Amino acid sequence: MIEKYLCGMTFAPFVGSGRLNTQQARESLKTMKERLCANFVILAPNGVQETPQSETICYTSKATMTDDELKATIAYAQELGLMVALKPTANCSNGTWRAHINFFDEDVPCEPKWSNWFASYTNFQLHYAKIAQEMGCVMHIAGCEMVMAERREQEWRHLIADIRREYKGMVSYNTDKYQEHNVKWWDCVDVISSSGYYPIADWENQLDRIEQVVRKWNKPFFFAEAGCMSVVGSKNVPNDWSVRGEIDLQGQADWYETMFSACKRRDWVKGFALWSWRNALYKEDTAAQHGDYEVYAKPAEAVIRKYYCAGEKV
């Protein structure tokens, strides 16, 4: 069970080797904890497949943080007083979003197969489940936004069972926005989580919908991702990272205020791990030049700090 309200961030997602094992990264993590009143962090090791139809996932190349630096970062985060979750995430090196990883439902000779992909994905997940167990992480999140794969119910059930043999903490899965009601195997995880990239004017509607899912499955829920870029238009389509408008720091702050205000009225929302915080921070006086999801030294940071410092009392 989630015992504390999760005031979290995703830290340095998908960084390659050599980028976590630096003094700069440690200082950034400490800054995140102190400036946001954070108590929770997600680390997301990168698993790479070439295309959405590739059957094998690599997590040993320079595109992925090494085990040693991951363990060192977990240990440092815990030293800072942060609860740590691991979220090993598959990504396509050709740039296609992981939601489109997909294969024929029935095996066809000479075509790539779900069976081969899930075998590789299971090895990937179990590798990090063992690290999560060894390092005392509070949660293992068995993937992120695998929309086309989620219908493969039996494979996911087998995967979660395999993870539980290696890891004894809480197990979750991070579905994508608008997909919470489509996952049919929430009963086999401990915590439901999703990506909260909802339009600023639609939070109440979406929370009404998600609440039905949470009540149906009677599971704790948190947003394993949520965020908005600081550019014009992002607050209306915060999931679209291709939006390239003028800088809009206030629009980003308004989006966060709306999200937190809506969620605080829902006692079933047990927290957040916002997207995201860099391992190498830009200079504070250049924050207004960055139109991305980062919140460091932007008005949105003050909004997050207000809610996180208050925690469940807000």
Side-chain angles (χ1 to χ4, degrees), residues 61-216:
S61 75
K62 291 184 177 181
T64 304
M65 61 187 74
T66 67
D67 290 352
D68 286 345
E69 61 186 335
L70 174 60
K71 291 178 184 179
T73 302
I74 295 169
Y76 182 63
Q78 292 167 334
E79 181 183 322
L80 292 173
L82 292 165
M83 297 177 285
V84 182
L86 293 191
K87 185 172 73 172
T89 303
N91 290 297
C92 300
S93 60
N94 72 350
T96 304
W97 179 32
R98 71 190 78 90
H100 298 289
I101 294 171
N102 196 19
F103 305 93
F104 295 154
D105 277 337
E106 296 184 12
D107 286 355
V108 174
C110 302
E111 295 290 348
K113 299 172 178 62
W114 276 120
S115 56
N116 293 336
W117 183 85
F118 264 104
S120 183
Y121 189 75
T122 297
N123 288 336
F124 171 53
Q125 290 293 323
L126 293 184
H127 177 81
Y128 291 103
K130 293 173 184 176
I131 292 177
Q133 178 65 24
E134 175 188 347
M135 298 302 298
C137 294
V138 301
M139 187 183 300
H140 181 95
I141 304 173
C144 176
E145 302 172 350
M146 307 292 290
V147 178
M148 300 301 289
E150 289 171 2
R151 71 182 186 275
R152 303 293 295 188
E153 179 177 348
Q154 293 309 311
E155 286 96 330
W156 284 102
R157 289 184 179 278
H158 286 306
L159 170 65
I160 300 300
D162 287 342
I163 289 172
R164 290 193 185 281
R165 280 189 277 273
E166 302 293 344
Y167 174 71
K168 305 309 177 184
M170 291 183 292
V171 177
S172 184
Y173 169 75
N174 176 185
T175 193
D176 193 32
K177 62 206 172 291
Y178 303 105
Q179 306 302 317
E180 295 90 351
H181 63 287
N182 285 326
V183 177
K184 308 304 182 188
W185 38 273
W186 285 130
D187 59 294
C188 70
V189 301
D190 301 302
V191 181
I192 297 172
S193 62
S194 74
S195 294
Y197 299 100
Y198 292 115
I200 189 170
D202 202 31
W203 268 102
E204 295 294 346
N205 289 333
Q206 296 306 323
L207 289 171
D208 285 345
R209 180 183 56 80
I210 298 170
E211 183 168 0
Q212 295 180 40
V213 178
V214 174
R215 302 303 184 199
K216 173 184 176 180

Side-chain angles (χ1 to χ4, degrees), residues 194-250:
S194 74
S195 294
Y197 299 100
Y198 292 115
I200 189 170
D202 202 31
W203 268 102
E204 295 294 346
N205 289 333
Q206 296 306 323
L207 289 171
D208 285 345
R209 180 183 56 80
I210 298 170
E211 183 168 0
Q212 295 180 40
V213 178
V214 174
R215 302 303 184 199
K216 173 184 176 180
W217 295 99
N218 192 28
K219 299 281 185 176
F221 174 90
F222 81 107
F223 286 107
E225 289 187 22
C228 175
M229 295 191 297
S230 51
V231 295
V232 172
S234 184
K235 66 183 181 181
N236 298 317
V237 282
N239 59 298
D240 187 352
W241 57 84
S242 68
V243 173
R244 291 294 179 266
E246 298 286 331
I247 299 293
D248 183 11
L249 300 179
Q250 190 58 48

